[in-house]
């Protein structure tokens, strides 16, 4: 295994822009743009852990307390297991699976993985929307690249 500084740098490294996904947080009243939040998937977290410490040097364990899943994410650093934990509630999509994935991603942030994403501006980005059965506007898809609207980072190539 590599030295600790190398591990921390690998864990905290930016992800390639094409691996960053964007979800709509709020939709404008007219449905023409939405507030875009950057995120990574649980699979990207697992890949980053494999790259930074190796598949045999990390482990995740879940506990459930009320409606919250707690992910205990352990890494073997310098021959010792160190655990950091965080939790998440159920999600709107695939409630239990989403809850476990979100808990893993939150615990990974404690290790520096994707932490920089919280510093990215959440821009308003043009989008398409539709009216659901309750006649409420719902986000459908981005019509522009959210990176083109982020002000506090270099633009994607």
């Amino acid at each position: 295994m590599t030295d600790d500084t190398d591990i921390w740098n690998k864990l905290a490294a930016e992800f390639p822009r094409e691996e960053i996904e964007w979800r709509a947080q709020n939709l404008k009243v007219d449905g023409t743009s939405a507030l875009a939040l950057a995120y990574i998937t649980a699979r990207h977290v697992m890949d980053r852990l494999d790259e930074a410490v190796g598949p045999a040097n990390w482990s995740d364990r879940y506990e459930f307390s009320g409606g919250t899943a707690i992910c205990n994410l352990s890494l073997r650093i310098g021959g010792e297991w160190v655990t950091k934990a965080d939790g998440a509630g159920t999600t709107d999509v695939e409630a239990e699976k989403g809850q476990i994935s979100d808990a893993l991603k939150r615990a990974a942030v404690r290790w520096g993985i994707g932490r920089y994403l919280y510093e990215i501006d959440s821009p308003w980005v043009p989008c398409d929307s539709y009216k659901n059965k309750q006649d409420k506007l719902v986000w459908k898809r981005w019509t522009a690249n959210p990176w083109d609207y982020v002000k506090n980072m270099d633009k994607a190539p």
Side-chain angles (χ1 to χ4, degrees), residues 24-129:
Q25 175 68 24
N26 296 321
L27 188 63
K28 283 196 175 175
V29 175
D30 65 2
T32 60
S33 64
L35 191 63
L37 299 180
Y39 73 95
I40 53 173
T41 67
R43 280 182 179 43
H44 289 123
V45 168
M46 291 182 262
D47 288 345
R48 176 60 55 87
L49 290 164
D50 287 348
E51 293 165 9
V53 298
N57 293 309
W58 70 271
S59 172
D60 55 337
R61 183 176 49 80
Y62 297 86
E63 301 170 10
F64 297 88
S65 176
T68 303
I70 309 293
C71 175
N72 294 281
L73 182 57
S74 302
L75 278 62
R76 189 174 5 218
I77 307 289
E80 299 290 325
W81 285 97
V82 180
T83 301
K84 296 186 182 198
D86 208 332
T90 58
T91 62
D92 292 336
V93 180
E94 296 184 271
E96 290 84 12
K97 179 184 167 294
Q99 178 182 37
I100 290 169
S101 293
D102 283 356
L104 171 64
K105 292 188 293 184
R106 287 171 160 267
V109 167
R110 293 185 179 258
W111 284 103
I113 298 173
R115 188 180 294 166
Y116 74 96
L117 295 174
Y118 289 97
E119 298 171 11
I120 294 175
D121 285 339
S122 295
W124 288 95
V125 179
C127 69
D128 285 336
S129 61

